[in-house]
Amino acid sequence: MKVVIVGGVAGGMSAATRLRRLDETAEIIVLEQGPYVSFANCGLPYYLSGEIQDRADLIVQTPAKLKQRFNIDVRVNQRVTAVVPDQHQLSVQVAGQTVTESYDKLILAPGAVPVVPDLPGLATAPNVSVLRNIPDLDRLMAKLSTTGARTVTLVGGGFISLEMAEALRRRGLAVTVVEQATHVLPPLDEEMAADIQHTLTQQGVRVITGQAVASVRDNGRTLVLADETQVQTDQIVLAVGVRPATDFLATSGIHLGLRGGIEVDETYQTSAPDVYAVGDAIVVRNQVSGHPALISLASPANRQGRQVADNLIGLPHHNRGSVGTAIVRVFDTAAAMTGLNEAALQAQQLPYKAVHYRGSDHADYFPGAQSLLLKLLFNPQSGELYGAQAVGHGVDKRIDVLATAIKGHLTVADLPELELSYAPPFGSAKDPVNLVGEMAQNIMDGLSDNRQWHELKAAEVAGRQLLDVRNPTELAAGRFPMAINIPLDQLRDRLSELDPQQPYIVSCQSGHRSYVAERILKQHGFDVVNLDGGFALYQTVRPDEVLDD
Amino acid sequence: MKVVIVGGVAGGMSAATRLRRLDETAEIIVLEQGPYVSFANCGLPYYLSGEIQDRADLIVQTPAKLKQRFNIDVRVNQRVTAVVPDQHQLSVQVAGQTVTESYDKLILAPGAVPVVPDLPGLATAPNVSVLRNIPDLDRLMAKLSTTGARTVTLVGGGFISLEMAEALRRRGLAVTVVEQATHVLPPLDEEMAADIQHTLTQQGVRVITGQAVASVRDNGRTLVLADETQVQTDQIVLAVGVRPATDFLATSGIHLGLRGGIEVDETYQTSAPDVYAVGDAIVVRNQVSGHPALISLASPANRQGRQVADNLIGLPHHNRGSVGTAIVRVFDTAAAMTGLNEAALQAQQLPYKAVHYRGSDHADYFPGAQSLLLKLLFNPQSGELYGAQAVGHGVDKRIDVLATAIKGHLTVADLPELELSYAPPFGSAKDPVNLVGEMAQNIMDGLSDNRQWHELKAAEVAGRQLLDVRNPTELAAGRFPMAINIPLDQLRDRLSELDPQQPYIVSCQSGHRSYVAERILKQHGFDVVNLDGGFALYQTVRPDEVLDD
């Protein structure tokens, strides 16, 4: 069996080495268009920042080592330009020549390429970079040092963009991030991204949101935004996302779907016989929504590479879809998410509720506790877990637990049951994951109901009186304009000050004390809901709408 | 409804506050025999060490605050001496007097007390301490400072003992740990505890294992061990475990089970009408084994306290059993576990396989990667997950993910599917949890078979030749006495040096390269198995049985 694999990074190389472990006799050829295989894609920003100091650390494997250990024929700088499934053949560009390669089985793992927006003036600007591979990195670093650039503008504000923003700040550059969505990190919801945006600003990154770039002028030295703001810059870095690198399949007849992604069945087979595909280039099923999705992440790519090899030798390990877990460090904080976000749930008109926990990453009484904000999205009828987001410290652990719960089809009722490792340096007797589970369970049990920060105004317009149950000292440091105040610990004694005919929405700092107030009021017959996330969350996302006198 | 709760720490106080949130009208009385409620039990060793500097940080709640916020009548220094279910009454000792208290519903949350072994000379020794609550802590600290003790011996080597060993070392004391099992941290298997034992020794803790204390002499200044070794000590601290604090129930007729634990149904009801029980004092079902178990941990206690209140008002949240997740920091390393260990699986004669992963807590190429050893135990027929253990860095996250998987009845096949958050500072594209899943799946698929470190000698006796596939430079730093050597990268070329009739067991440093070798040899018809965990694991647990010339 002669197996040709197109692409030698995550999915392709996982397929190649797994296939060798399963089959000593197969002829395995890997065609990689770049000069490196199996490089540390996710490490590139950290070499740019100087945290990874040795460029060799980015190169995990070499063709020679792969030949020696796995008897794999790795050919770099070979660009596949066409696939002809009927003839089981590929066209390959090698050193300017086009040659033909045959295969018995073909695995396509071409990955994704950065999206280059079609903006006037962009194509001719000499100072435009992307960062997807080591040559990109080398070019960008050479350009930064030879041109003496002092300002860099990142177009796009997603995960990779923010990693680069940090890296470039660490190199002492002035950095601007332009994101056309309402907030950076669009996979997160707005209130979760707000903390990250605050961190960026504190670290000297200029953040412009809600603004698309309209054109590029002055040979790339000026970006003109939709509102005609002009951003001066020495260097432009495009980080507006990636798309499947499938242009070479245009003539192949292989079915392409969402944004040019390769359509595959659960054994990774494409529409063409003997042609399989894995990694960033394939259309997967989002496990939560059931919808087609493109997920450009290392973890699914590696898994798919392994599984396609399994399928080639008849081991039935099928693609069960993806939940899309991702994380990004942003200076001294981090953001992570898994599953669907609130925006996606709204777009798909799925019934959902959200709960937020704000607290510490480990026991408060143990030194070094740091802030953690965790959001859970769930179906309030079935208890299905839709997704989770976290910002701050200890976010990887909580999102990993919730990603495991979602992948395993656990429900809201399972989260309070989870026994997570607890000693004061590591967590709390009730982990934040347990707590969001309890909060969600309270909603499902009808004990509590909440409104989100973006629903507060509508609730007030609809006639709900906002009741803040914090203490006067807390109010002095920041408060809602329209709220009345009764501190929680006085509530039982001051119930007569409230109108039983008046619907209320209660708030405190984080949403926890107001839940206690909600329970007291509910049992006294009041129509009351809780402002989820409390004043702190609202203030983070809408600082201009609160008073801090 | 008048509800009396016996015990005001984790389970009792969770029950009290939850019940108030569910029922504003109930009369709730908490009887706590000590002077403090809701204190940070798990924080005591860290105040002893000086890491927690303010004693007030250990006291999470006070009776006054609980009265104000939750309208709970908390009575400290009230010791319940008897329960008379037929009369719905308790006898309570208050300031030397015995009074009677009635209840409509009674929740027992008395917790556990340290086991005091019945050793000659112990009862009369004046220098013996335990550490279970704040008065214990105060007494121990006073004793250490007034007596000028310089040496402390901890009897028992479990989780609490090792936290105290570290705390006492940080105070500059000479510390000895005496554990009668073959290794410290008996909930872990021997090879996992070996790393911890090494850390303790490096940090100047004297560790004596496999030795029970036989008697105490010289007014507590000498411990005599089973082999007649004498250990001189200024202070003795007992840390041999806890037992349910249920002596006061002797006359109640309430059914007690395993080691005096209170037997409850899944709604936490005891054998007596209107009497419920939660926390360390109850017998739970181990979710994995199905057997009765005593689990003294904060997380289940808090959950049970909440759930018993739910059941009291008719919310059907049932006790689904426990998996028993625990973690301990030991100086600059940590150990964590969940579910059943190998010793328990052997004792219960369950079919199991183990796999070990040794590597880094995050991407190797990112600075600061630290060592992690992870063990997974599973049923090789069904794929059921039995348990996991981890030692090193990043252990809390991996054990939390696996505890979630076990709690959710996920199987081996689900672990490679988990999408865990990956960026180089946080993890690896394939997380160690994915990797142990792949290793286990390979065994289930018949692609690989392994032997554990403790099975190596038997395998050699049975005629398997040990083949080490590491490089000569690695062998020079330590090797098996009886192994032959062919480096992995030469194996395909040197197959003729091996005897096709000879069964082999292959080994490398961690077990990963030897798995590749196993696959090569299997495909060439050899009878071969892999030494799980490799040389490094064997050397850790049996350093005297390897050569390091």
Side-chain angles (χ1 to χ4, degrees):
Chain A
M1 178 168 65
K2 178 179 177 181
V3 180
V4 175
I5 298 171
V6 179
V9 191
M13 201 47 76
S14 291
T17 53
R18 173 70 169 173
L19 184 60
R20 175 56 75 224
R21 291 193 298 269
L22 297 175
D23 186 349
E24 272 289 291
T25 63
E27 181 183 359
I28 304 174
I29 298 169
V30 175
L31 304 176
E32 166 57 41
Q33 73 171 29
Y36 303 103
V37 288
S38 203
F39 63 89
N41 205 314
C42 304
L44 302 181
Y46 304 98
Y47 182 66
L48 182 63
S49 72
E51 279 181 280
I52 296 175
Q53 295 185 354
D54 188 351
R55 185 171 171 284
D57 285 345
L58 298 174
I59 298 161
V60 180
Q61 281 289 3
T62 63
K65 286 198 276 180
L66 288 160
K67 176 70 188 169
Q68 192 171 36
R69 177 153 303 172
F70 291 104
N71 190 25
I72 294 170
D73 179 0
V74 177
R75 304 176 188 171
V76 295
N77 297 314
Q78 303 220 354
R79 193 159 70 85
V80 176
T81 54
V83 176
V84 188
D86 289 347
Q87 296 172 30
H88 282 59
Q89 278 188 345
L90 307 171
S91 297
V92 188
Q93 267 200 346
V94 189
Q97 306 291 313
T98 297
V99 300
T100 295
E101 187 67 63
S102 67
Y103 63 82
D104 297 322
K105 303 280 184 185
L106 176 65
I107 299 173
L108 302 172
V113 287
V115 170
V116 178
D118 183 19
L119 295 175
L122 186 71
T124 55
N127 60 341
V128 180
S129 301
V130 294
L131 183 62
R132 183 71 188 169
N133 53 38
I134 292 179
D136 289 340
L137 177 69
D138 292 340
R139 277 191 295 267
L140 174 59
M141 291 184 75
K143 198 168 271 183
L144 291 175
S145 56
T146 57
T147 64
R150 300 184 52 83
T151 59
V152 178
T153 302
L154 288 154
V155 181
F159 284 72
I160 307 296
S161 168
L162 298 200
E163 286 180 342
M164 293 192 67
E166 179 180 345
L168 294 165
R169 282 299 295 153
R170 284 178 183 245
R171 290 176 68 93
L173 291 156
V175 178
T176 300
V177 172
V178 181
E179 166 58 52
Q180 69 174 30
T182 55
H183 56 283
V184 296
L185 290 182
L188 266 67
D189 293 313
E190 186 176 355
E191 83 283 12
M192 302 301 288
D195 266 349
I196 296 294
Q197 209 148 318
H198 186 63
T199 295
L200 289 168
T201 306
Q202 273 186 321
Q203 296 285 347
V205 177
R206 180 179 174 203
V207 179
I208 301 171
T209 56
Q211 285 288 327
V213 177
S215 66
V216 174
R217 289 191 201 151
D218 306 337
N219 230 9
R221 291 312 184 104
T222 305
L223 294 173
V224 183
L225 308 187
D227 70 351
E228 298 190 355
T229 306
Q230 300 203 350
V231 177
Q232 306 304 319
T233 192
D234 295 333
Q235 181 70 27
I236 297 171
V237 179
L238 299 177
V240 291
V242 295
R243 62 177 181 84
T246 54
D247 293 347
F248 72 106
L249 297 175
T251 59
S252 68
I254 292 170
H255 291 180
L256 304 181
L258 185 63
R259 294 176 63 202
I262 305 169
E263 296 200 330
V264 294
D265 68 11
E266 62 177 10
T267 68
Y268 302 98
Q269 198 154 359
T270 70
S271 62
D274 298 323
V275 182
Y276 298 76
V278 296
D280 293 0
I282 69 169
V283 180
V284 297
R285 188 177 52 82
N286 182 299
Q287 184 194 301
V288 184
S289 69
H291 293 181
L294 293 171
I295 294 182
S296 296
L297 291 168
S299 168
N302 282 308
R303 180 177 77 239
Q304 293 160 7
R306 178 181 175 87
Q307 289 182 337
V308 74
D310 290 349
N311 280 284
L312 244 58
I313 67 128
L315 270 178
H317 295 156
H318 292 169
N319 187 6
R320 300 202 233 156
S322 292
V323 298
T325 309
I327 191 166
V328 59
R329 188 191 73 183
V330 184
F331 296 95
D332 58 353
T333 188
M337 52 92 60
T338 187
L340 301 184
N341 64 14
E342 195 169 346
L345 293 168
Q346 287 173 349
Q348 295 174 31
Q349 296 186 297
L350 289 166
Y352 78 90
K353 274 289 191 181
V355 291
H356 291 78
Y357 163 83
R358 185 188 291 272
S360 301
D361 59 340
H362 66 62
D364 278 316
Y365 63 77
F366 190 79
Q370 290 185 288
S371 166
L372 167 67
L373 177 63
L374 178 63
K375 176 181 191 176
L376 178 71
L377 291 155
F378 62 100
N379 180 322
Q381 276 92 53
S382 66
E384 182 189 358
L385 303 174
Y386 286 137
Q389 299 164 45
V391 175
H393 294 85
V395 300
D396 54 337
K397 180 162 77 169
R398 276 63 187 218
I399 291 299
D400 283 0
V401 167
L402 287 164
T404 302
I406 293 173
K407 198 88 193 186
H409 301 283
L410 272 62
T411 70
V412 161
D414 295 307
L415 298 185
E417 294 287 324
L418 296 181
E419 290 165 64
L420 304 173
S421 52
Y422 167 54
F426 300 100
S428 299
K430 281 196 184 179
D431 192 86
V433 173
N434 299 133
L435 291 170
V436 291
E438 291 183 0
M439 292 161 76
Q441 201 171 38
N442 283 336
I443 290 175
M444 293 188 65
D445 285 337
L447 295 173
S448 177
D449 193 11
N450 70 20
R451 295 292 180 272
Q452 294 303 307
W453 66 272
H454 55 79
E455 297 169 322
L456 175 60
K457 280 188 182 164
E460 288 184 312
V461 167
R464 283 200 186 270
Q465 171 65 50
L466 183 57
L467 167 63
D468 193 327
V469 299
R470 294 179 299 160
N471 296 321
T473 50
E474 296 176 272
L475 295 179
R479 60 188 172 84
F480 290 109
M482 307 294 285
I484 59 171
N485 172 241
I486 300 178
L488 172 60
D489 288 347
Q490 300 171 15
L491 186 59
R492 282 188 189 86
D493 296 334
R494 293 174 60 183
L495 280 177
S496 61
E497 297 175 29
L498 299 177
D499 176 0
Q501 305 308 316
Q502 166 67 51
Y504 289 92
I505 179 165
V506 277
S507 171
C508 65
Q509 189 68 13
S510 71
H512 181 69
R513 278 174 292 167
S514 53
Y515 157 65
V516 177
E518 181 197 5
R519 288 301 307 153
I520 293 172
L521 292 173
K522 264 203 165 69
Q523 294 187 64
H524 284 91
F526 285 87
D527 172 0
V528 56
V529 294
N530 186 18
L531 180 65
D532 187 48
F535 179 79
L537 190 67
Y538 198 93
Q539 184 181 34
T540 302
V541 65
R542 289 288 180 268
D544 298 340
E545 295 179 10
V546 301
L547 303 174
D548 49 352
D549 39 23
Chain B
M1 178 168 66
K2 178 178 176 183
V3 180
V4 175
I5 299 171
V6 179
V9 191
M13 202 47 76
S14 291
T17 53
R18 173 69 170 173
L19 184 60
R20 174 57 72 224
R21 291 193 298 269
L22 297 175
D23 186 349
E24 273 289 292
T25 63
E27 181 184 0
I28 304 174
I29 299 169
V30 175
L31 304 175
E32 165 57 40
Q33 74 171 25
Y36 302 103
V37 287
S38 204
F39 63 90
N41 205 314
C42 303
L44 302 181
Y46 304 98
Y47 182 67
L48 183 62
S49 72
E51 279 180 279
I52 296 174
Q53 294 185 356
D54 188 351
R55 186 171 170 285
D57 285 344
L58 298 174
I59 297 161
V60 180
Q61 281 289 3
T62 63
K65 286 198 277 181
L66 288 160
K67 176 70 188 171
Q68 192 170 37
R69 177 153 303 171
F70 293 104
N71 191 24
I72 295 170
D73 180 1
V74 177
R75 305 176 187 170
V76 296
N77 297 313
Q78 302 222 353
R79 191 159 70 85
V80 176
T81 54
V83 175
V84 189
D86 290 347
Q87 298 172 29
H88 282 59
Q89 280 188 346
L90 307 170
S91 298
V92 188
Q93 267 200 346
V94 190
Q97 306 291 312
T98 298
V99 300
T100 295
E101 187 67 63
S102 69
Y103 63 82
D104 296 322
K105 303 281 183 185
L106 177 65
I107 300 173
L108 302 172
V113 287
V115 170
V116 178
D118 184 21
L119 295 174
L122 186 70
T124 55
N127 60 342
V128 180
S129 300
V130 294
L131 183 62
R132 182 72 189 167
N133 52 40
I134 292 180
D136 289 340
L137 177 69
D138 292 341
R139 277 191 293 268
L140 174 58
M141 291 185 76
K143 199 169 270 181
L144 290 175
S145 56
T146 56
T147 65
R150 299 186 54 84
T151 59
V152 178
T153 301
L154 289 153
V155 180
F159 285 71
I160 306 296
S161 168
L162 298 200
E163 286 180 342
M164 293 192 67
E166 178 179 346
L168 294 164
R169 281 299 294 153
R170 284 178 183 245
R171 291 176 68 93
L173 292 155
V175 177
T176 301
V177 172
V178 181
E179 167 59 55
Q180 69 174 30
T182 56
H183 55 282
V184 296
L185 289 183
L188 266 67
D189 292 314
E190 186 176 355
E191 83 283 10
M192 302 300 288
D195 266 349
I196 296 294
Q197 208 147 318
H198 186 61
T199 296
L200 289 168
T201 306
Q202 274 186 319
Q203 296 284 348
V205 177
R206 181 181 173 201
V207 179
I208 301 170
T209 56
Q211 285 289 327
V213 177
S215 65
V216 175
R217 288 192 202 152
D218 304 338
N219 228 9
R221 293 310 183 105
T222 306
L223 294 171
V224 183
L225 307 187
D227 71 350
E228 300 190 355
T229 307
Q230 300 203 352
V231 177
Q232 306 304 320
T233 192
D234 295 333
Q235 181 69 27
I236 297 171
V237 178
L238 299 177
V240 291
V242 296
R243 63 178 180 82
T246 54
D247 292 348
F248 72 105
L249 297 175
T251 59
S252 68
I254 292 169
H255 291 180
L256 304 180
L258 185 63
R259 294 176 63 201
I262 305 168
E263 296 200 329
V264 294
D265 67 12
E266 61 177 11
T267 68
Y268 302 98
Q269 199 154 359
T270 70
S271 62
D274 298 323
V275 182
Y276 298 76
V278 296
D280 293 2
I282 69 168
V283 180
V284 297
R285 187 178 52 82
N286 182 300
Q287 185 194 302
V288 184
S289 69
H291 292 181
L294 294 170
I295 294 183
S296 297
L297 291 168
S299 169
N302 281 309
R303 181 176 77 241
Q304 292 160 8
R306 179 181 175 87
Q307 289 182 336
V308 75
D310 291 349
N311 280 285
L312 243 57
I313 67 127
L315 271 177
H317 294 156
H318 292 168
N319 188 6
R320 301 201 234 155
S322 293
V323 300
T325 309
I327 191 168
V328 60
R329 189 191 73 183
V330 184
F331 296 95
D332 58 353
T333 188
M337 53 90 62
T338 188
L340 301 184
N341 64 12
E342 194 169 345
L345 293 168
Q346 287 173 349
Q348 296 174 31
Q349 296 187 299
L350 289 165
Y352 78 90
K353 275 290 193 181
V355 290
H356 291 78
Y357 163 83
R358 185 188 293 272
S360 301
D361 59 340
H362 66 63
D364 278 317
Y365 62 78
F366 190 79
Q370 290 186 288
S371 167
L372 167 67
L373 176 64
L374 178 63
K375 177 181 191 175
L376 177 72
L377 291 155
F378 62 99
N379 180 324
Q381 277 92 54
S382 67
E384 180 187 359
L385 303 173
Y386 286 138
Q389 298 164 45
V391 175
H393 293 85
V395 301
D396 54 337
K397 180 163 76 168
R398 277 63 188 217
I399 291 299
D400 282 359
V401 167
L402 287 164
T404 302
I406 293 173
K407 198 88 192 186
H409 300 283
L410 273 62
T411 69
V412 161
D414 295 307
L415 298 185
E417 295 286 324
L418 297 181
E419 289 164 64
L420 305 173
S421 52
Y422 167 53
F426 300 101
S428 299
K430 281 196 183 179
D431 192 85
V433 173
N434 299 132
L435 291 169
V436 292
E438 290 182 359
M439 293 161 75
Q441 201 170 39
N442 283 336
I443 290 175
M444 292 188 66
D445 285 336
L447 296 172
S448 177
D449 194 12
N450 70 20
R451 295 293 180 271
Q452 294 303 308
W453 66 273
H454 55 79
E455 298 170 321
L456 175 60
K457 280 188 182 166
E460 288 185 310
V461 167
R464 284 200 185 270
Q465 172 65 50
L466 182 58
L467 166 64
D468 193 326
V469 298
R470 292 178 299 160
N471 296 320
T473 50
E474 295 176 273
L475 295 179
R479 60 188 171 84
F480 290 109
M482 307 295 284
I484 59 171
N485 172 241
I486 300 178
L488 173 60
D489 289 346
Q490 301 171 16
L491 186 60
R492 283 189 188 84
D493 295 333
R494 293 174 60 183
L495 280 177
S496 62
E497 296 174 30
L498 299 176
D499 176 359
Q501 305 308 314
Q502 166 68 51
Y504 290 92
I505 180 165
V506 278
S507 171
C508 65
Q509 189 68 14
S510 70
H512 181 69
R513 278 174 292 167
S514 53
Y515 157 65
V516 177
E518 181 196 4
R519 289 301 308 154
I520 294 172
L521 292 172
K522 265 203 164 71
Q523 295 187 64
H524 284 92
F526 285 87
D527 172 359
V528 57
V529 295
N530 186 18
L531 180 65
D532 186 50
F535 179 78
L537 189 68
Y538 198 94
Q539 185 181 33
T540 302
V541 63
R542 288 288 181 269
D544 298 341
E545 294 179 11
V546 300
L547 305 174
D548 48 353
D549 41 24

